[in-house]
Amino acid sequence: MPAEFVKALPILEKIRVSGYQAYFVGGSVRDVLLNRQIHDVDIATSAYPAEVKQIFEHTVDIGIEHGTVLVLAGDDTYEITTFRTEDVYVDYRRPSHVSFVRELSEDLLRRDFTINAFALANDGEIIDLYDGLTDLDKKILRAVGHPSERFNEDALRIMRGVRFMATLNFSLESETYEAMKRQAHLLAKISIERIFIELDKLLQADYWQKGFDALLAIDASAYLPGFSDKKALLSLLTLPKRFKFTNSVQAWGFLLHQLGYVDGKFLMKKWKVSREFATAITHFLSAYRKRQVAAFSLEDLYQHHLSSLLLVENLFEAQGLDTDFEHIAVLDKTLQIRDKKEIVVSAGEIMKQFSISPGPGIGKLFHEIEMAIVIGKLRNHPDDIFNYVRESSEYGSND
């Protein structure tokens, strides 16, 4: 067992000595079997939420209506969820009602894929009711039970499926694939925020192209904002098979560039991402277009920031295009300011020094000073800036 499970064993033991069953479940068990790093330790139990709260002194009700209680154990926290079955699903995402049960088998039946339906006992025994170990060995992604039922219950499982392909380098079992393709239209019922999370994880995975190809093959792209009528373009990604994106901005920026988007803000608004992320995408797209026609300039660095320039250059390198990382490094060392707030003289000080009245004129002058400093025409020093203003015909006589 990994250290994270060993550390949590006293939690399982305390539940068991109280007369209930308790197991490690979910993706963490799968990742242990694949020798992958685990992130969350999830525990399932036959104890009902009220009974869990009686067993442990320090708990928090984080999702008690769905059977989940957070147990505080020193500096660690563990989500303890009661075995449950789920009633009819509403909006293809959430069950209308959950029922707590005492049998592990009933709980595992509601899982999405066989490789996520394992339970691990405190003695190291793997409970595998759906032949997930065979699927794990064959690197196959297969839905638990009837695939159509699983995707009709929760259509987001379609996105999770292609994401698991990308992260684990697995292939889809044929019936699971056909069900995903038949029911891809149900993604239109799922909140775009949840779809974004899954697609974002897919794009940053080691085998993202495998997952993305599957996304296109099952026609899921037809139900994604901005992708619906662009399947042909999405099929022509000009990147090496094992290329891995550096981060989300690079991944989404490249996709939008391939789709012909000049400004990503409108489309990103449809995906309901943060304003900061949409702005970063816009900077990336602008930098990419500029790099296609010329080497980057100091003004490009100032406007789009070093991170965007490096992300673009990295993609140029991956596509076998000419690159010059050293040039970007020289620009970075040369640039005097990263923001106009770093200019050593304020607009107010200039107005006072030269008796300039408020108005659009001072804004225009300060912008000229800003860009002169950026391109290296003017040193960011009070004497130089005041001399720059003094030498202008409009304000020099006011000194």
Side-chain angles (χ1 to χ4, degrees):
M1 285 191 184
E4 294 88 345
F5 280 4
V6 172
K7 193 174 184 180
L9 281 175
I11 301 293
L12 259 65
E13 188 59 25
K14 194 166 185 177
I15 296 173
R16 292 171 66 85
V17 299
S18 298
Y20 306 100
Q21 301 174 54
Y23 301 91
F24 297 119
V25 294
S28 59
V29 179
R30 173 203 69 222
D31 288 340
V32 167
L33 295 171
L34 291 173
N35 293 315
R36 291 168 55 90
Q37 181 180 355
I38 66 173
H39 300 285
D40 299 310
V41 175
D42 294 322
I43 297 171
T45 178
S46 61
Y48 286 9
E51 294 165 339
V52 172
K53 293 175 69 173
Q54 289 180 341
I55 296 171
F56 296 98
E57 184 177 356
H58 302 292
T59 63
V60 178
D61 297 350
I62 60 169
I64 198 165
E65 70 278 7
H66 297 113
T68 302
V69 174
L70 187 71
V71 171
L72 312 179
D75 294 332
D76 299 308
T77 59
Y78 298 98
E79 289 190 9
I80 315 293
T81 302
T82 302
F83 298 158
R84 70 190 195 195
T85 59
E86 296 169 339
D87 206 341
V88 177
Y89 278 65
V90 295
D91 61 27
Y92 302 97
R93 176 73 187 116
R94 295 168 297 178
S96 58
H97 177 71
V98 299
S99 299
F100 303 138
V101 295
R102 299 293 189 184
E103 293 300 322
L104 173 66
S105 58
E106 293 184 65
D107 182 78
L108 294 181
L109 180 60
R110 68 180 179 83
R111 307 284 169 168
D112 50 8
F113 300 101
T114 61
I115 62 169
N116 294 333
F118 299 119
L120 175 62
N122 63 319
D123 61 359
E125 179 191 4
I126 298 291
I127 291 85
D128 176 23
L129 304 181
Y130 302 103
D131 207 18
L133 287 173
T134 298
D135 292 339
L136 210 62
D137 184 59
K138 293 181 178 180
K139 294 189 173 184
I140 290 176
L141 199 64
R142 180 166 56 93
V144 171
H146 297 291
S148 293
E149 291 180 10
R150 297 291 81 79
F151 301 131
N152 197 64
E153 290 168 347
D154 183 356
L156 188 64
R157 288 170 173 165
I158 296 171
M159 292 299 301
R160 283 170 56 82
V162 291
R163 190 251 293 180
F164 286 134
M165 292 181 69
T167 55
L168 303 176
N169 194 23
F170 276 33
S171 298
L172 287 171
E173 178 266 338
S174 58
E175 289 187 23
T176 300
Y177 169 84
E178 292 299 334
M180 290 170 73
K181 189 168 185 177
R182 283 196 308 271
Q183 293 169 274
H185 66 278
L186 296 178
L187 288 172
K189 310 285 187 180
I190 303 300
S191 75
I192 199 60
E193 294 95 334
R194 290 187 175 275
I195 292 177
F196 175 85
I197 291 172
E198 294 298 332
L199 183 53
D200 188 56
K201 289 179 179 179
L202 183 159
L203 290 173
Q204 294 186 74
D206 288 342
Y207 304 94
W208 69 270
Q209 294 198 46
K210 184 171 187 175
F212 200 79
D213 287 346
L215 180 83
L216 299 178
I218 63 173
D219 294 325
S221 60
Y223 307 97
L224 306 182
F227 294 5
S228 58
D229 58 345
K230 299 181 183 291
K231 183 175 179 179
L233 287 174
L234 291 170
S235 301
L236 298 174
L237 299 179
T238 55
L239 292 171
K241 277 294 183 184
R242 290 309 304 271
F243 175 81
K244 183 179 178 182
F245 290 113
T246 301
N247 58 24
S248 294
V249 172
Q250 188 184 54
W252 285 86
F254 182 72
L255 277 187
L256 266 60
H257 168 75
Q258 289 290 105
L259 294 173
Y261 288 97
V262 175
D263 186 331
K265 286 187 178 179
F266 179 73
L267 179 58
M268 288 292 94
K269 188 175 183 179
K270 289 187 175 181
W271 281 90
K272 297 185 179 180
V273 300
S274 69
R275 183 178 300 176
E276 292 77 14
F277 186 75
T279 299
I281 295 295
T282 299
H283 277 300
F284 174 92
L285 289 171
S286 180
Y288 200 102
R289 290 196 308 276
K290 290 178 179 179
R291 185 64 180 92
Q292 287 180 305
V293 296
F296 286 125
S297 66
L298 281 166
E299 190 172 352
D300 294 332
L301 175 59
Y302 181 71
Q303 183 178 358
H304 302 303
H305 313 299
L306 178 63
S307 59
S308 293
L309 271 57
L310 291 176
L311 291 175
V312 168
E313 205 74 1
N314 175 246
L315 279 171
F316 270 54
E317 182 179 49
Q319 296 172 84
L321 303 173
D322 291 337
T323 58
D324 195 344
F325 287 96
E326 182 60 31
H327 174 65
I328 296 176
V330 171
L331 292 178
D332 189 48
K333 291 179 181 178
T334 305
L335 190 64
Q336 297 184 79
I337 59 172
R338 312 282 166 174
D339 189 280
K340 63 182 178 182
K341 294 178 182 178
E342 297 177 9
I343 298 175
V344 295
V345 175
S346 69
E349 289 171 317
I350 294 173
M351 291 169 64
K352 183 178 180 180
Q353 179 73 16
F354 295 93
S355 301
I356 303 173
S357 300
I362 183 60
K364 180 181 178 182
L365 173 62
F366 198 71
H367 181 69
E368 289 177 7
I369 292 169
E370 176 188 4
M371 298 317 298
I373 293 172
V374 167
I375 64 176
K377 179 181 177 181
L378 176 63
R379 191 165 64 109
N380 187 27
H381 188 278
D383 292 343
D384 295 63
I385 294 172
F386 286 138
N387 285 336
Y388 181 89
V389 178
R390 189 175 290 114
E391 291 169 4
S392 78
S393 58
E394 186 175 353
Y395 300 109
S397 60
N398 295 329
D399 191 2

